[in-house]
Amino acid sequence: MKEFKGLSGARGQALLPALVLSRAAIVPEKRETADPEGEIARFEAIRAAYAAELDALKEKTAKENGEEASAIMKAYAVIARDNFFFKKPMKQVKNEGVAADWAVAAERDKVCAKFAAMEDPYMKARADDIRNVCDELIRRLNGVSSAVEVQGDGPVILMAEDLTPEDTIRIDKSKLGGFITERGGVTSHAVILAKTLGIPAVVGCEGILSAARSGEQIYLNGDEGWAAVEPDGEMAARFAAADEAQKAMAERYAQAAAMPAVTRDGHRVQVCVNSGDSESARAFRPDRCDGIGLFRTEFLFMGQQDYPSEEFQYQAYRAVAEAAAGKEVIIRTLDIGGDKQLGYMDLPKESNPFLGYRAIRLCLDRKEIFLTQLRAILRASAHGNLKIMFPMIVTMEELREAKTLTAQAMAELDARGLPHAEHVPLGIMVETPAAVLLSDKLAKEAEFFSIGTNDLIQYTTATDRQNERVQYLYTPCNLSVLRAIHTVIRNGHKAGIPVGMCGEAASDERLLPLLLAMGLDEFSVVPAQAGKVKYMVQQADYAALSGLPDALWEQETVEDACRLLDQYAIR
Ligand code: PEP
Ligand code: MG
């Protein structure tokens, strides 16, 4: 038995056979081929088959997982079919008689080095796409493939160095019981997918891949962030006990999900879900929550060759409005920039992208993009209960201008004779210290607030949410963050508007009693967490929590705050 330490990606435990995804890149040797023409024909047949496979996958994905996912397959197929790209290495095979795998690898390295040297993160990401396609072709030239095929009925623990978006699409999710990756942070593709599917994950588990083989038993502890290969009997017994408790809790959460989120003494809150990718959209159950508290629209814009049209966006927003069956859907306008880039936008390079040209700043500057999106959302408002939310607001001017442009978009629809809801509530994300400190004023002109703790923690504590070295500072239990949250809730309520939270902290069990006591109206969480949050609300005694905020302000350190919150934990 061998244990490997990592980071907790998604909570829960599993003891299952491993499926080790071998993506070890093959490093081809420079060899000569006796039959260059035959070698080229072999390569072209492999390339055509791979491109056709990607096409089929694209179709399947578009049907099952939506446009974002299929766009990645489409991009891979475009690369696989790029005759211009593959002309050079094939010329080398013909003229110099080298093997195709070596020639493709050499061209891949040359082109990827050029892309990787570009500062634009989108272009850097394109280098990854080219590398992924070339690596798969090289593997196939050597008679292996990395396609993730789960043999048998599963479930398995999928183990990989990291997971590409292609992997997360290809995998048959019904056969997955957990993820372990050697690389990647707590916001990696694997973790997001694990949370959405409600299965455990450990990331940053260095060294485990070389110690495990497919089929071997793996114990994965997502609560504590470690895993063991071929666990001994004692560990297996420990897991069996934890598993039983886990299943009992899952059963309780499922029951809780079917009931409204009301505390034992009758205090009602809303528990909504976050959506913004195909997995969470499919996991959305309007009968298990109070609506969608955050619909991230970026995914409609990512993986496209150009801006999505008003009609394309309208169909997407209309589909979500209809799926919600009359329940609220908060559509957030485009939050691009920062770590999310779009190649076709041609954005200038910035030294501090998270402090730069992103979200509402970009939308107010490129008004046509914003107006197109607003018209699409407003048209969809005729089919459901939609609200619009603006991200990254730091001034009153931004809110006013966003509202003016929404009114303009509505007038444009009227001129075209297109229907929309008579009134669409307009709110803001409170995710910057500026918005917190201005929240008394903003609350008079916004119709609702939603606290975006993912960014609010980052900006309040000056801690990059993606930088692993400073993650110890990135915590909602910092008293400055908790004070900010309390300020926003109080200012919202003073002005008579509802205050929700759509950052990850909304499903943090340590914070839940405090957020209830502070009067948070809406918790918006990934779908797999909605049952747990409802359960904790239903177990809480609202009146008994009333002294918690004052007791918290007596504390001095993060540790003190955590200790106090622990005393109020609902288990
Ligand atoms: C947030 O910042 O808390 C949030 C929900 O938005 P995102 O994670 O998309 O920045
Ligand atoms: Mg944010």
Side-chain angles (χ1 to χ4, degrees):
M1 181 184 80
K2 267 194 191 157
E3 285 182 42
F4 294 84
K5 185 101 200 73
L7 292 169
S8 165
R11 295 181 71 89
Q13 300 182 26
L15 177 65
L16 291 168
L19 174 69
V20 181
L21 178 58
S22 172
R23 186 155 296 106
I26 292 174
V27 184
E29 277 174 31
K30 190 170 185 181
R31 291 168 283 117
E32 287 194 356
T33 171
D35 174 14
E37 291 297 339
E39 179 75 345
I40 292 169
R42 188 169 77 91
F43 172 73
E44 291 302 353
I46 286 173
R47 181 157 79 100
Y50 180 43
E53 228 178 82
L54 288 165
D55 283 345
L57 207 56
K58 185 191 80 187
E59 296 303 322
K60 177 173 175 270
T61 308
K63 244 188 252 144
E64 293 177 3
N65 300 351
E67 287 299 320
E68 174 207 23
S70 81
I72 296 164
M73 295 299 108
K74 195 165 141 191
Y76 278 21
V78 168
I79 297 169
R81 288 217 169 78
D82 188 341
N83 292 334
F84 185 75
F85 179 91
F86 291 107
K87 198 158 102 188
K88 249 201 200 154
M90 288 311 110
K91 210 162 146 192
Q92 220 175 353
V93 174
K94 189 170 176 198
N95 296 344
E96 298 171 29
V98 292
D101 59 356
W102 185 85
V104 170
E107 186 64 14
R108 171 203 66 195
D109 291 345
K110 237 188 284 166
V111 173
C112 287
K114 262 192 226 157
F115 275 83
M118 297 180 190
E119 292 293 339
D120 184 345
Y122 179 82
M123 297 314 275
K124 277 189 202 289
R126 296 292 68 74
D128 286 344
D129 293 348
I130 293 171
R131 187 169 291 283
N132 287 340
V133 170
C134 289
D135 285 353
E136 183 61 17
L137 287 170
I138 292 167
R139 271 190 291 268
R140 289 177 185 217
L141 279 164
N142 285 276
V144 285
S145 165
S146 70
V148 193
E149 299 276 320
V150 181
Q151 307 292 338
D153 294 336
V156 295
I157 291 176
L158 184 67
M159 301 171 64
E161 201 181 323
D162 206 351
L163 290 180
T164 64
E166 183 185 354
D167 297 329
T168 61
I169 292 158
R170 276 180 184 259
I171 302 163
D172 179 351
K173 282 137 199 117
S174 66
K175 294 181 179 175
L176 286 185
F179 284 118
I180 299 175
T181 61
E182 285 210 348
R183 286 191 325 191
V186 291
T187 56
S188 62
H189 285 296
V191 169
I192 293 166
L193 183 61
K195 280 191 177 172
T196 307
L197 297 173
I199 58 175
V202 174
V203 295
C205 209
E206 253 176 77
I208 194 162
L209 286 186
S210 49
R213 282 178 211 296
S214 290
E216 280 181 340
Q217 286 295 110
I218 305 291
Y219 174 44
L220 182 173
N221 190 324
D223 298 322
E224 293 167 10
W226 59 275
V229 179
E230 293 287 0
D232 58 21
E234 194 190 317
M235 201 178 273
R238 204 151 32 108
F239 165 73
D243 190 42
E244 213 164 292
Q246 207 169 268
K247 283 191 180 127
M249 284 317 287
E251 183 54 40
R252 277 187 220 160
Y253 294 162
Q255 283 167 7
M259 314 281 287
V262 185
T263 64
R264 286 199 274 174
D265 49 343
H267 177 71
R268 171 88 159 97
V269 294
Q270 306 287 308
V271 175
C272 296
V273 297
N274 293 347
S275 183
D277 61 74
S278 36
E279 290 304 330
S280 49
R282 281 200 300 166
F284 172 55
R285 292 273 310 267
D287 55 333
R288 294 282 186 273
C289 65
D290 296 301
I292 296 181
L294 167 65
F295 184 80
R296 291 181 168 98
T297 56
E298 294 76 66
F299 85 105
L300 294 174
F301 288 72
M302 292 172 109
Q304 306 283 337
Q305 307 299 327
D306 207 344
Y307 296 105
S309 65
E310 178 186 314
E311 185 61 27
F312 173 84
Q313 290 186 61
Y314 161 62
Q315 294 298 348
Y317 305 141
R318 177 180 173 162
V320 68
E322 287 175 345
K327 293 203 169 159
E328 139 195 306
V329 178
I330 300 181
I331 308 241
R332 179 176 74 182
T333 58
L334 188 59
D335 185 5
I336 219 75
D339 61 331
K340 299 172 222 152
Q341 298 288 334
L342 293 177
Y344 54 80
M345 262 191 178
D346 199 20
L347 296 175
K349 176 201 148 352
E350 297 176 300
S351 42
N352 285 306
F354 271 111
L355 302 181
Y357 190 61
R358 63 169 290 204
I360 196 71
R361 302 166 184 193
L362 188 148
C363 286
L364 294 179
D365 185 44
R366 302 195 179 182
K367 293 192 175 53
E368 253 331 299
I369 300 168
F370 194 38
L371 283 166
T372 303
Q373 181 173 39
L374 289 170
R375 285 192 303 267
I377 303 172
L378 291 169
R379 281 174 62 189
S381 71
H383 305 279
N385 179 8
L386 294 194
K387 298 181 178 180
I388 297 177
M389 176 157 76
F390 306 117
M392 272 291 284
I393 294 286
V394 298
T395 65
M396 182 64 88
E397 286 86 334
E398 287 171 334
L399 172 57
R400 286 185 183 159
E401 198 179 351
K403 287 173 71 174
T404 304
L405 288 165
T406 310
Q408 181 183 327
M410 212 177 250
E412 286 169 10
L413 294 183
D414 289 338
R416 283 160 59 195
L418 292 172
H420 54 77
E422 206 170 302
H423 177 70
V424 179
L426 304 179
I428 64 167
M429 294 215 38
V430 181
E431 52 184 343
T432 62
V436 173
L437 296 169
L438 274 181
S439 54
D440 55 336
K441 297 183 189 301
L442 291 167
K444 293 186 181 132
E445 302 197 20
E447 289 170 89
F448 63 91
F449 282 161
S450 184
I451 306 173
T453 47
N454 302 347
D455 276 316
L456 186 60
I457 299 169
Q458 154 165 277
Y459 294 126
T460 303
T461 63
T463 304
D464 183 342
R465 67 194 249 192
Q466 305 190 105
N467 184 336
E468 281 162 28
R469 275 199 249 167
V470 291
Q471 286 304 293
Y472 68 99
L473 290 170
Y474 185 90
T475 167
C477 296
N478 187 315
L479 286 162
S480 63
V481 175
L482 298 174
R483 272 197 178 151
I485 292 169
H486 203 194
T487 303
V488 177
I489 297 172
R490 278 190 313 206
N491 283 335
H493 287 175
K494 253 187 240 163
I497 63 168
V499 182
M501 179 179 287
C502 59
E504 290 297 306
S507 59
D508 188 328
E509 50 261 58
R510 286 170 305 179
L511 296 191
L512 191 118
L514 178 70
L515 297 174
L516 274 177
M518 286 177 171
L520 190 75
D521 302 296
E522 180 177 298
F523 296 72
S524 193
V525 302
V526 296
Q529 298 285 326
K532 182 187 84 178
V533 172
K534 278 188 160 183
Y535 172 81
M536 290 194 296
V537 171
Q538 290 158 3
Q539 296 302 307
D541 183 344
Y542 180 61
L545 296 173
S546 63
L548 180 50
D550 281 344
L552 188 71
W553 308 136
E554 299 293 313
Q555 312 304 313
E556 310 274 339
T557 65
V558 174
E559 210 183 313
D560 294 341
C562 287
R563 203 173 306 120
L564 178 73
L565 293 174
D566 228 28
Q567 287 168 21
Y568 284 80
I570 300 162
R571 298 187 208 279

CSV table of all heavy atoms in Angstrom, one decimal, residues 274 294 296 298 332 335 339-340 354 358 429-431 451-456 465 474 502-504, ligand 1:
chain,number,residue,atom,x,y,z
A,274,ASN,N,-26.1,27.3,-9.7
A,274,ASN,CA,-25.3,28.0,-10.7
A,274,ASN,C,-25.2,27.2,-12.0
A,274,ASN,O,-25.1,25.9,-11.9
A,274,ASN,CB,-23.8,28.2,-10.2
A,274,ASN,CG,-23.7,29.2,-9.0
A,274,ASN,OD1,-24.7,29.9,-8.7
A,274,ASN,ND2,-22.6,29.2,-8.4
A,294,LEU,N,-27.3,32.0,-10.8
A,294,LEU,CA,-26.2,32.6,-11.7
A,294,LEU,C,-26.1,31.7,-12.9
A,294,LEU,O,-25.8,30.5,-12.9
A,294,LEU,CB,-24.8,32.5,-10.9
A,294,LEU,CG,-23.6,32.7,-11.8
A,294,LEU,CD1,-23.5,34.2,-12.4
A,294,LEU,CD2,-22.3,32.5,-11.0
A,296,ARG,N,-23.9,31.7,-16.0
A,296,ARG,CA,-22.7,32.3,-16.6
A,296,ARG,C,-22.8,32.2,-18.1
A,296,ARG,O,-22.9,31.1,-18.7
A,296,ARG,CB,-21.4,31.6,-16.2
A,296,ARG,CG,-21.0,31.8,-14.7
A,296,ARG,CD,-19.8,31.0,-14.4
A,296,ARG,NE,-19.2,31.3,-13.1
A,296,ARG,CZ,-19.4,30.6,-12.0
A,296,ARG,NH1,-20.1,29.5,-12.1
A,296,ARG,NH2,-18.8,30.9,-10.9
A,298,GLU,N,-20.5,33.2,-20.4
A,298,GLU,CA,-19.2,33.1,-21.1
A,298,GLU,C,-19.1,31.9,-22.1
A,298,GLU,O,-18.6,32.0,-23.1
A,298,GLU,CB,-18.0,33.1,-20.2
A,298,GLU,CG,-17.8,34.3,-19.4
A,298,GLU,CD,-18.8,34.4,-18.2
A,298,GLU,OE1,-18.8,33.6,-17.3
A,298,GLU,OE2,-19.6,35.3,-18.2
A,332,ARG,N,-26.2,36.4,-16.1
A,332,ARG,CA,-25.1,37.4,-15.9
A,332,ARG,C,-24.6,37.8,-17.3
A,332,ARG,O,-24.3,36.9,-18.1
A,332,ARG,CB,-24.0,36.8,-15.1
A,332,ARG,CG,-22.9,37.7,-14.9
A,332,ARG,CD,-21.8,37.2,-14.0
A,332,ARG,NE,-21.0,36.2,-14.6
A,332,ARG,CZ,-20.0,35.5,-14.0
A,332,ARG,NH1,-19.8,35.7,-12.7
A,332,ARG,NH2,-19.3,34.6,-14.6
A,335,ASP,N,-18.9,38.1,-18.8
A,335,ASP,CA,-17.8,38.4,-17.9
A,335,ASP,C,-16.5,37.8,-18.5
A,335,ASP,O,-15.9,36.9,-17.9
A,335,ASP,CB,-18.1,37.7,-16.5
A,335,ASP,CG,-17.1,38.0,-15.4
A,335,ASP,OD1,-16.2,38.8,-15.7
A,335,ASP,OD2,-17.2,37.4,-14.3
A,339,ASP,N,-9.0,35.8,-16.5
A,339,ASP,CA,-8.5,34.5,-17.0
A,339,ASP,C,-9.2,34.0,-18.2
A,339,ASP,O,-8.9,33.0,-18.8
A,339,ASP,CB,-8.5,33.5,-15.9
A,339,ASP,CG,-9.9,33.2,-15.3
A,339,ASP,OD1,-10.7,34.1,-15.4
A,339,ASP,OD2,-10.1,32.1,-14.8
A,340,LYS,N,-10.4,34.6,-18.5
A,340,LYS,CA,-11.2,34.1,-19.6
A,340,LYS,C,-11.0,35.0,-20.9
A,340,LYS,O,-11.4,36.1,-20.9
A,340,LYS,CB,-12.7,34.0,-19.3
A,340,LYS,CG,-13.0,33.2,-18.1
A,340,LYS,CD,-14.4,33.3,-17.7
A,340,LYS,CE,-14.6,33.4,-16.2
A,340,LYS,NZ,-15.7,34.2,-15.7
A,354,PHE,N,-6.7,40.6,-14.2
A,354,PHE,CA,-7.8,40.6,-13.3
A,354,PHE,C,-8.1,42.0,-12.8
A,354,PHE,O,-9.2,42.3,-12.2
A,354,PHE,CB,-7.5,39.7,-12.1
A,354,PHE,CG,-7.9,38.3,-12.3
A,354,PHE,CD1,-7.0,37.3,-12.4
A,354,PHE,CD2,-9.3,38.0,-12.4
A,354,PHE,CE1,-7.4,36.0,-12.7
A,354,PHE,CE2,-9.7,36.7,-12.6
A,354,PHE,CZ,-8.7,35.7,-12.7
A,358,ARG,N,-12.1,43.9,-18.3
A,358,ARG,CA,-12.9,42.7,-18.2
A,358,ARG,C,-14.3,43.1,-17.9
A,358,ARG,O,-14.6,44.2,-17.5
A,358,ARG,CB,-12.3,41.7,-17.1
A,358,ARG,CG,-12.3,42.2,-15.7
A,358,ARG,CD,-11.9,41.1,-14.7
A,358,ARG,NE,-13.0,40.1,-14.6
A,358,ARG,CZ,-13.2,39.4,-13.5
A,358,ARG,NH1,-12.4,39.4,-12.5
A,358,ARG,NH2,-14.3,38.5,-13.4
A,429,MET,N,-23.5,42.0,-9.5
A,429,MET,CA,-22.7,41.2,-8.7
A,429,MET,C,-21.9,42.1,-7.8
A,429,MET,O,-21.3,43.1,-8.2
A,429,MET,CB,-21.7,40.4,-9.5
A,429,MET,CG,-22.4,39.4,-10.4
A,429,MET,SD,-21.6,37.9,-10.7
A,429,MET,CE,-20.8,37.4,-9.2
A,430,VAL,N,-21.8,41.8,-6.5
A,430,VAL,CA,-21.0,42.5,-5.6
A,430,VAL,C,-19.7,41.7,-5.4
A,430,VAL,O,-19.8,40.7,-4.7
A,430,VAL,CB,-21.7,42.9,-4.3
A,430,VAL,CG1,-20.8,43.7,-3.4
A,430,VAL,CG2,-23.0,43.6,-4.5
A,431,GLU,N,-18.7,42.0,-6.1
A,431,GLU,CA,-17.5,41.2,-6.1
A,431,GLU,C,-16.2,41.9,-6.0
A,431,GLU,O,-15.1,41.4,-6.2
A,431,GLU,CB,-17.5,40.2,-7.2
A,431,GLU,CG,-17.7,40.8,-8.6
A,431,GLU,CD,-17.8,39.8,-9.7
A,431,GLU,OE1,-17.4,38.6,-9.6
A,431,GLU,OE2,-18.2,40.2,-10.8
A,451,ILE,N,-23.6,38.3,-4.1
A,451,ILE,CA,-22.2,38.5,-3.7
A,451,ILE,C,-21.4,37.4,-4.4
A,451,ILE,O,-21.6,36.2,-4.2
A,451,ILE,CB,-22.1,38.3,-2.2
A,451,ILE,CG1,-23.1,39.4,-1.5
A,451,ILE,CG2,-20.7,38.6,-1.7
A,451,ILE,CD1,-23.2,39.2,0.0
A,452,GLY,N,-20.4,37.9,-5.1
A,452,GLY,CA,-19.5,36.9,-5.9
A,452,GLY,C,-18.2,36.7,-5.0
A,452,GLY,O,-17.3,37.5,-5.2
A,453,THR,N,-18.3,35.8,-4.1
A,453,THR,CA,-17.2,35.6,-3.2
A,453,THR,C,-15.9,35.2,-3.9
A,453,THR,O,-14.8,35.4,-3.4
A,453,THR,CB,-17.5,34.6,-2.1
A,453,THR,OG1,-18.1,33.5,-2.7
A,453,THR,CG2,-18.5,35.2,-1.1
A,454,ASN,N,-16.0,34.5,-5.0
A,454,ASN,CA,-14.8,34.0,-5.7
A,454,ASN,C,-13.9,35.2,-6.0
A,454,ASN,O,-12.7,35.1,-5.7
A,454,ASN,CB,-15.1,33.3,-7.0
A,454,ASN,CG,-16.0,32.1,-6.8
A,454,ASN,OD1,-16.3,31.7,-5.6
A,454,ASN,ND2,-16.6,31.6,-7.8
A,455,ASP,N,-14.4,36.2,-6.5
A,455,ASP,CA,-13.6,37.4,-6.8
A,455,ASP,C,-13.5,38.3,-5.6
A,455,ASP,O,-12.5,38.9,-5.3
A,455,ASP,CB,-14.2,38.2,-7.9
A,455,ASP,CG,-13.8,37.7,-9.3
A,455,ASP,OD1,-12.6,37.4,-9.4
A,455,ASP,OD2,-14.6,37.5,-10.2
A,456,LEU,N,-14.6,38.4,-4.7
A,456,LEU,CA,-14.5,39.3,-3.6
A,456,LEU,C,-13.4,38.9,-2.6
A,456,LEU,O,-12.6,39.7,-2.1
A,456,LEU,CB,-15.8,39.3,-2.8
A,456,LEU,CG,-15.9,40.3,-1.7
A,456,LEU,CD1,-15.7,41.7,-2.2
A,456,LEU,CD2,-17.3,40.1,-0.9
A,465,ARG,N,-6.7,34.3,-7.1
A,465,ARG,CA,-7.5,33.1,-6.9
A,465,ARG,C,-6.9,31.9,-7.6
A,465,ARG,O,-7.3,30.8,-7.3
A,465,ARG,CB,-9.0,33.3,-7.2
A,465,ARG,CG,-9.3,33.5,-8.6
A,465,ARG,CD,-10.7,34.0,-8.8
A,465,ARG,NE,-11.6,33.1,-9.4
A,465,ARG,CZ,-12.8,33.3,-9.9
A,465,ARG,NH1,-13.3,34.6,-9.8
A,465,ARG,NH2,-13.5,32.4,-10.5
A,474,TYR,N,-6.3,32.7,0.7
A,474,TYR,CA,-7.6,32.8,0.0
A,474,TYR,C,-8.7,32.0,0.7
A,474,TYR,O,-9.0,30.9,0.5
A,474,TYR,CB,-7.4,32.2,-1.5
A,474,TYR,CG,-8.6,32.3,-2.3
A,474,TYR,CD1,-8.7,33.5,-3.1
A,474,TYR,CD2,-9.6,31.4,-2.4
A,474,TYR,CE1,-9.8,33.6,-4.0
A,474,TYR,CE2,-10.7,31.5,-3.2
A,474,TYR,CZ,-10.8,32.7,-4.0
A,474,TYR,OH,-11.9,32.8,-4.8
A,502,CYS,N,-23.5,33.9,-5.0
A,502,CYS,CA,-23.3,32.9,-6.0
A,502,CYS,C,-21.9,32.4,-6.1
A,502,CYS,O,-21.6,31.6,-6.9
A,502,CYS,CB,-23.8,33.4,-7.3
A,502,CYS,SG,-23.0,34.9,-7.9
A,503,GLY,N,-21.0,32.9,-5.2
A,503,GLY,CA,-19.6,32.4,-5.2
A,503,GLY,C,-19.6,31.1,-4.5
A,503,GLY,O,-20.6,30.7,-3.9
A,504,GLU,N,-18.5,30.4,-4.5
A,504,GLU,CA,-18.4,29.0,-3.9
A,504,GLU,C,-18.7,29.1,-2.4
A,504,GLU,O,-19.1,28.0,-1.8
A,504,GLU,CB,-17.0,28.5,-4.2
A,504,GLU,CG,-16.7,28.1,-5.6
A,504,GLU,CD,-17.6,27.0,-6.1
A,504,GLU,OE1,-17.6,25.9,-5.4
A,504,GLU,OE2,-18.3,27.2,-7.1
B,1,PEP,C1,-17.6,35.1,-8.2
B,1,PEP,O1,-16.7,35.9,-8.5
B,1,PEP,O2,-17.9,34.7,-7.0
B,1,PEP,C2,-18.4,34.5,-9.3
B,1,PEP,C3,-19.5,33.8,-9.0
B,1,PEP,O3,-18.1,34.7,-10.5
B,1,PEP,P1,-16.9,34.0,-11.3
B,1,PEP,O4,-16.4,32.8,-10.5
B,1,PEP,O5,-17.5,33.6,-12.6
B,1,PEP,O6,-15.9,35.1,-11.5
